[in-house]
């Protein structure tokens, strides 16, 4: 069995990878505006007023500027497939780090560590392992946790000095999730207080406090200064955004996946309660309930709950032997069948989906934008006023135009841009609270991309003529192109 240890590890890493490849087979919708940001930065440098939308003089913080630039460079060299493979590589790094954390907490209980790693990444693979900067943030946060655990369990204070570097990388790659680093470090400081009845551990807090202060100060080393750190607090809690954007809405048991996730939280709590080892670390409970509160508030926040949900079980159940002589055959048979299924799934994705990876969000949008390119040939794309909705605006930007709206919600609220609440206006348009003519008169669009079910799909104004229509397919809505009469 020891001779085939490598096969067991390989199977464990292939299972979540296959799950992600089957469930996520294209670039995330937000990838297109990120590519637009990266292209603008690489070609013209960092900017402080929005360069992607049609609106003038909007103050902007490109909170993921480092990631966007790298993202675009990878795309320029390898195309959409390069971006997708990069996501899979990041997932492998994430899996390895979860495995290392579990091995550290379980005193090298390998089978338990592999199972917990698979559970974590399979749950994340359903919607959270995507071609976005958040996967990098998961890796960096787990790295902080791993370094803290090394300090506590092995007495290695020097490893803490890597955390300020992690903080520097995080703030300049994906600032919106940077606050998670000081929050998690604060949890470890609380757990350092010596109080046996409350299971406080009593380890040295001073090195963590000093490292935490330095890590916060390092966060100011970024092109936007304090605004890079504080913008996240003005970007959430917008009622219109919470109502319109699914990932910002409150968690609800609306799908089998969410029911399974909620059930998993309950099961983990029961496993804590009925464990023989009752010395459950306070830091793990604080992270679990803290991220649970965040996750119940927003669907997006659930990803951090998943990140910290399973690995503490490695500490609580480190003495449990999985795959011993009694159940070794069942363990290997189940693992082998899952491994075969994973390999077959990966082969299908590689030979079927890899060659057909779209250089766009969907066929209808690619066709419509090809038509618009032909229609506007010889004109300055950036000078045209294009109406597009929230979801498709990023791809319109990627094709070189400056639309009314894109998925960067935080850019279109007055608290951040210092000028106007454009997102709220868009929300009102979508819900029929703004008259069509009033809106069209205000912006005087040259072209309108109207999406089925959207506010400007059926235009009654005589100033605009329908010049193109593409029917929707499957879950996607149809799209119409309107042209202003004098354009």
């Amino acid at each position: 069995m020891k001779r085939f240890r490598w096969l067991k590890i390989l199977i464990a890493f292939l299972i979540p990878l296959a799950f992600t490849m089957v469930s996520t087979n294209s670039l995330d919708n937000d990838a297109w505006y990120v590519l637009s940001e990266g292209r603008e930065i690489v070609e013209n440098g960092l900017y402080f007023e929005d360069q992607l939308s049609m609106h003038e003089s909007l103050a902007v913080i490109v909170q993921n500027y480092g990631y966007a630039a790298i993202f675009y460079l990878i795309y320029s060299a390898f195309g959409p497939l390069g971006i997708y493979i990069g996501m899979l590589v990041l997932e492998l790094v994430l899996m390895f780090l979860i495995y290392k954390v579990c091995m550290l907490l379980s005193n090298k209980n390998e089978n338990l560590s592999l199972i917990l790693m698979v559970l974590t990444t399979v749950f994340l693979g359903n919607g959270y392992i995507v071609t976005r900067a958040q996967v990098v943030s998961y890796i960096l946060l787990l790295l902080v946790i791993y370094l803290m655990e090394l300090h506590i369990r092995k007495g290695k204070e020097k490893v803490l000095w890597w955390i300020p570097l992690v903080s520097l990388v995080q703030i300049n790659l994906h600032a919106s999730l940077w606050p998670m680093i000081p929050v998690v470090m604060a949890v470890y400081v609380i757990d350092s207080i010596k109080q046996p009845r409350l299971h406080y551990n009593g380890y040295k807090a001073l090195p963590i406090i000093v490292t935490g202060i330095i890590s916060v100060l390092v966060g100011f080393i970024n092109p936007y200064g304090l605004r890079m750190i504080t913008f996240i607090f003005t970007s959430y809690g917008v009622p219109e955004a919470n109502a319109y954007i699914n990932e910002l809405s409150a968690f609800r048991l609306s799908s089998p996946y969410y029911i399974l996730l909620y059930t998993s939280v309950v099961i983990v709590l029961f496993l804590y309660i009925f464990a023989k080892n009752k010395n459950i670390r306070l830091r793990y409970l604080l992270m679990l309930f803290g991220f649970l509160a965040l996750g119940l508030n927003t669907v997006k926040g659930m990803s951090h709950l998943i990140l910290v949900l399973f690995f503490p079980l490695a500490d609580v159940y480190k003495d449990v032997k999985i795959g011993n002589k009694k159940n070794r055959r069942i363990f290997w048979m189940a693992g082998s069948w899952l491994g075969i299924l994973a390999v077959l799934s990966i082969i299908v994705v590689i030979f079927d989906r890899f060659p057909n990876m779209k250089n766009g969000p969907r066929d209808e949008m690619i066709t419509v934008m090809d038509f618009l390119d032909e229609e506007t040939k010889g004109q300055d794309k950036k000078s045209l006023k294009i109406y597009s909705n929230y979801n498709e605006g990023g791809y319109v930007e990627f094709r070189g135009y400056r639309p009314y709206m894109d998925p960067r919600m935080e850019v279109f609220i007055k608290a951040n841009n210092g000028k106007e609440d454009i997102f709220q206006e868009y929300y009102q348009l979508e819900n029929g609270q703004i008259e069509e003519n009033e809106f069209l008169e205000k912006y005087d669009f040259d072209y309108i991309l109207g999406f089925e079910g959207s506010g400007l799909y059926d235009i009654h104004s005589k100033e605009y003529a329908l010049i193109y229509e593409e029917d929707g397919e499957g879950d996607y809505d149809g799209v119409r192109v309107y042209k202003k009469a004098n354009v």
Side-chain angles (χ1 to χ4, degrees):
M1 289 299 176
K2 288 182 179 179
R3 223 189 318 172
F4 292 100
R5 173 176 172 265
W6 65 269
L7 182 59
K8 172 180 64 178
I9 295 173
L10 179 63
I11 290 171
F13 275 76
L14 286 178
I15 291 169
L17 197 69
F19 185 84
T20 298
M21 291 174 73
V22 170
S23 60
T24 304
N25 49 61
S26 62
L27 270 62
D28 184 81
N29 187 62
D30 286 3
W32 306 107
Y33 83 73
V34 175
L35 285 169
S36 302
E37 289 177 324
R39 179 176 59 201
E40 181 67 29
I41 291 167
V42 170
E43 294 179 355
N44 301 309
L46 196 62
Y47 52 94
F48 296 82
E49 288 189 355
D50 186 36
Q51 302 297 310
L52 303 184
S53 74
M54 58 176 272
H55 306 284
E56 298 291 336
S57 305
L58 296 186
V60 70
I61 298 167
V62 190
Q63 55 88 20
N64 60 336
Y65 81 93
Y67 179 83
I70 296 170
F71 200 66
Y72 177 69
L73 291 173
I74 293 173
Y75 176 86
S76 299
F78 304 105
L81 185 58
I83 295 291
Y84 186 84
I85 292 174
M87 176 197 75
L88 298 179
V89 171
L90 288 175
E91 183 181 15
L92 287 170
V93 173
L94 179 65
M95 284 191 280
F96 176 74
L97 200 49
I98 296 170
Y99 170 69
K100 291 291 289 183
V101 171
C102 291
M103 287 289 281
L104 178 63
L105 270 56
S106 66
N107 293 335
K108 297 185 178 181
N109 186 331
E110 189 168 76
N111 290 343
L112 177 62
S113 298
L114 290 172
I115 289 172
L116 295 176
M117 179 272 289
V118 169
L119 282 172
T120 302
T121 43
V122 164
F123 268 104
L124 285 173
N126 192 345
Y128 295 114
I129 302 294
V130 289
T131 55
R132 293 168 68 171
Q134 64 195 47
V135 183
V136 175
S137 294
Y138 299 154
I139 292 170
L140 294 175
L141 185 61
L142 266 175
L143 182 57
V144 169
I145 292 173
Y146 180 62
L147 294 171
M148 301 282 277
E149 293 292 338
L150 271 178
H151 160 63
I152 294 167
R153 294 171 182 272
K154 303 293 184 181
K156 297 180 179 181
E157 290 186 10
K158 290 183 179 180
V159 299
L160 293 178
W161 296 108
W162 287 101
I163 295 178
L165 179 60
V166 175
S167 174
L168 181 65
V169 173
Q170 178 72 63
I171 196 69
N172 288 285
L173 284 184
H174 193 207
S176 66
L177 292 182
W178 176 86
M180 296 300 177
I181 292 177
V183 165
V184 167
M185 294 191 75
V187 167
Y188 277 82
V189 171
I190 294 171
D191 195 33
S192 69
I193 302 169
K194 191 172 184 179
Q195 177 49 262
R197 290 184 180 180
L198 297 176
H199 303 302
Y200 286 28
N201 282 259
Y203 47 81
K204 289 183 180 180
L206 185 59
I208 299 175
I209 293 171
V210 172
T211 306
I213 292 171
I214 295 172
S215 298
V216 170
L217 293 176
V218 163
F220 288 86
I221 305 175
N222 69 78
Y224 298 94
L226 178 62
R227 290 194 303 153
M228 192 79 140
I229 294 172
T230 59
F231 96 97
I232 188 67
F233 302 108
T234 55
S235 299
Y236 288 96
V238 179
E240 293 85 355
N242 294 345
Y244 185 81
I245 303 171
N246 180 60
E247 66 179 23
L248 297 183
S249 63
F251 172 80
R252 54 191 179 276
L253 298 176
S254 57
S255 72
Y257 169 72
Y258 290 138
I259 294 171
L260 183 60
L261 177 56
Y262 182 78
T263 305
S264 299
V265 174
V266 175
I267 291 172
V268 167
L269 290 174
F270 270 101
L271 288 173
Y272 281 164
I273 293 169
F274 294 106
K276 291 182 180 179
N277 177 13
K278 296 297 182 182
N279 188 25
I280 301 168
R281 313 298 182 187
L282 179 68
R283 57 184 180 269
Y284 304 144
L285 292 175
L286 288 174
M287 283 192 284
L288 189 153
F289 287 113
F291 286 128
L292 176 60
L294 179 65
L296 291 174
N297 188 48
T298 65
V299 170
K300 187 176 182 179
M302 271 295 173
S303 60
H304 283 83
L305 172 65
I306 297 169
L307 205 62
V308 303
L309 180 60
F310 296 106
F311 77 75
L313 293 174
D315 182 35
V316 179
Y317 288 93
K318 57 190 170 188
D319 296 325
V320 174
K321 303 298 180 184
I322 300 172
N324 55 28
K325 290 182 179 179
K326 292 182 180 179
N327 56 28
R328 184 176 291 163
R329 180 173 293 180
I330 297 173
F331 180 78
W332 274 96
M333 284 180 64
S336 298
W337 279 110
L338 286 171
I340 292 170
L341 183 62
V343 170
L344 291 175
S345 300
I346 290 171
I347 290 172
V348 169
V349 172
I350 289 174
F351 285 96
D352 178 51
R353 294 179 182 173
F354 273 21
N356 302 312
M357 186 151 300
K358 295 181 177 64
N359 195 22
R362 56 188 172 100
D363 290 337
E364 294 90 344
M365 274 302 296
I366 296 172
T367 305
V368 166
M369 293 311 299
D370 286 344
F371 168 80
L372 193 60
D373 282 347
E374 189 65 30
E375 169 70 22
T376 60
K377 186 180 291 185
Q379 300 182 63
D380 180 10
K381 289 183 177 182
K382 292 185 177 181
S383 68
L384 295 172
K385 293 182 179 180
I386 307 290
Y387 174 83
S388 181
N389 68 0
Y390 178 85
N391 286 317
E392 274 69 31
Y395 184 63
V396 177
E397 290 169 344
F398 175 73
R399 295 294 291 257
Y401 300 89
R402 290 183 174 177
Y404 165 78
M405 177 60 61
D406 66 47
R408 300 172 301 155
M409 180 276 297
E410 69 279 2
V411 173
F412 300 102
I413 57 176
K414 189 175 181 178
N416 288 331
N417 64 43
K419 188 175 180 181
E420 189 177 359
D421 278 322
I422 300 166
F423 184 84
Q424 286 86 335
E425 177 186 60
Y426 169 74
Y427 179 81
Q428 291 169 0
L429 176 70
E430 289 293 291
N431 287 275
Q433 297 170 271
I434 295 179
E435 289 291 333
E436 175 189 296
N437 289 335
E438 176 188 342
F439 183 75
L440 295 177
E441 185 178 341
K442 177 180 178 180
Y443 288 105
D444 192 30
F445 297 106
D446 297 310
Y447 293 90
I448 293 174
L449 302 182
F451 296 88
E452 191 174 357
S454 181
L456 294 183
Y457 184 67
D458 292 308
I459 294 181
H460 304 96
S461 173
K462 295 180 180 179
E463 293 187 14
Y464 289 88
L466 178 65
I467 60 173
Y468 184 86
E469 185 171 7
E470 181 78 19
D471 292 332
E473 200 172 280
D475 295 331
Y476 294 111
D477 296 327
V479 57
R480 293 172 176 174
V481 180
Y482 293 90
K483 179 181 180 180
K484 191 167 175 52
N486 62 353
V487 174

